[in-house]
Amino acid sequence: MHEDLLKRHLELVIEANKTTNITRISTWDEGMLLHVQDSLIGLPELNDAPEGWYVDIGSGAGYPGIPLAIESGRKTLLADSVGKKTAILDDIITQLGLSSVETYTGRIEDLAREHPGEFAVVTARALSRVSVLMEFASPLLRRGGRLICYKARMEDDEFEHALSLQETLGMTLVSDRTLELEDRCRRIICFEKTAKPRIKLPRKTSFAQKRPL
């Protein structure tokens, strides 16, 4: 059943991509590897997180959010600032019959203002630097909640900079694992919300990326 839903999701994404650019991946084999299998790499970290509401930020075509929602059964929110993408996701969710999955159209900072500390898990795949993801996630997460970052190869200075901001953002590294997906390197880095951040979050919209800490 789960496998059928995962495949149907990819079919719908490939079909939608013919008229609206929601992913650079256009073939079935590439999609199964770089979308579906890649999304499921973070399932152990999701299952290890506290129970509760889960948000996938910068969800795009619904990866990793929809595969993780299918496999975990969690109440899930797919957040993206581009209305065309969330409209496609709404249609896909309906066609897949995923009653526990909804979308949010808007900036991550606005979501944090509307739902402060309400999420148990945040995922982000190929969205931004780890330090920026930590800043985005901290005001969204409740105490004990987890941020799961999907990264490819990453420079040491990006990781070291993220670690230097742990106390500032109230986030603590809990796991970091690297694996191969065929010939590609994948790294799953997980932080836990362990304290109140030392600065007021969220900052003004776009500051996290335009004026990074």
Side-chain angles (χ1 to χ4, degrees):
M1 176 62 178
H2 287 182
E3 186 177 351
D4 290 344
L5 284 174
L6 294 170
K7 289 179 177 179
R8 181 63 180 144
H9 174 208
L10 180 58
E11 287 174 357
L12 293 170
V13 166
I14 291 172
E15 186 62 31
N17 206 49
K18 292 175 182 176
T19 53
T20 305
N21 184 26
I22 55 169
T23 175
R24 60 177 178 77
I25 291 169
S26 58
T27 69
W28 178 262
D29 289 345
E30 201 178 19
M32 284 300 295
L33 178 69
L34 298 181
H35 276 335
V36 180
Q37 291 181 41
D38 190 48
S39 294
L40 296 177
I41 287 173
L43 186 60
E45 282 78 6
L46 182 71
N47 288 337
D48 195 42
E51 292 184 6
W53 203 9
Y54 154 50
V55 59
D56 180 32
I57 59 175
S59 195
Y63 295 106
I66 287 179
L68 291 178
I70 289 169
E71 292 294 336
S72 69
R74 280 184 189 255
K75 180 185 177 186
T76 299
L77 187 67
L78 308 176
D80 203 286
S81 62
V82 181
K84 280 186 177 181
K85 292 181 179 179
T86 52
I88 290 169
L89 288 174
D90 283 332
D91 184 54
I92 288 173
I93 289 164
T94 299
Q95 292 199 54
L96 295 177
L98 299 177
S99 58
S100 63
V101 182
E102 298 178 354
T103 63
Y104 175 87
T105 307
R107 300 299 294 261
I108 301 164
E109 297 93 338
D110 291 331
L111 178 62
R113 294 182 188 104
E114 293 169 33
H115 298 282
E118 292 186 23
F119 294 92
V121 189
V122 174
T123 59
R125 192 174 78 127
L127 182 63
S128 191
R129 292 172 61 88
V130 174
S131 57
V132 173
L133 300 178
M134 291 165 66
E135 180 177 343
F136 281 150
S138 183
L140 290 167
L141 288 169
R142 67 174 193 240
R143 189 75 64 96
R146 300 286 178 89
L147 164 66
I148 303 168
C149 305
Y150 285 67
K151 301 292 288 185
R153 298 196 184 278
M154 182 172 60
E155 298 296 330
D156 289 343
D157 64 343
E158 178 182 344
F159 190 49
E160 292 302 321
H161 180 61
L163 295 181
S164 75
L165 291 170
Q166 289 180 101
E167 290 189 7
T168 302
L169 298 172
M171 304 284 288
T172 302
L173 179 71
V174 290
S175 64
D176 175 14
R177 65 186 175 99
T178 301
L179 64 158
E180 298 295 323
L181 188 66
E182 291 197 355
D183 60 342
R184 294 169 171 84
C185 175
R186 286 293 181 265
R187 189 168 175 182
I188 303 291
I189 303 169
C190 187
F191 289 86
E192 182 175 323
K193 172 80 172 284
T194 52
K196 186 177 179 180
R198 294 184 175 181
I199 59 174
K200 181 171 170 42
L201 294 176
R203 291 192 289 158
K204 288 184 178 179
T205 300
S206 82
F207 269 34
Q209 288 170 305
K210 291 183 178 177
R211 300 186 187 179
L213 298 172

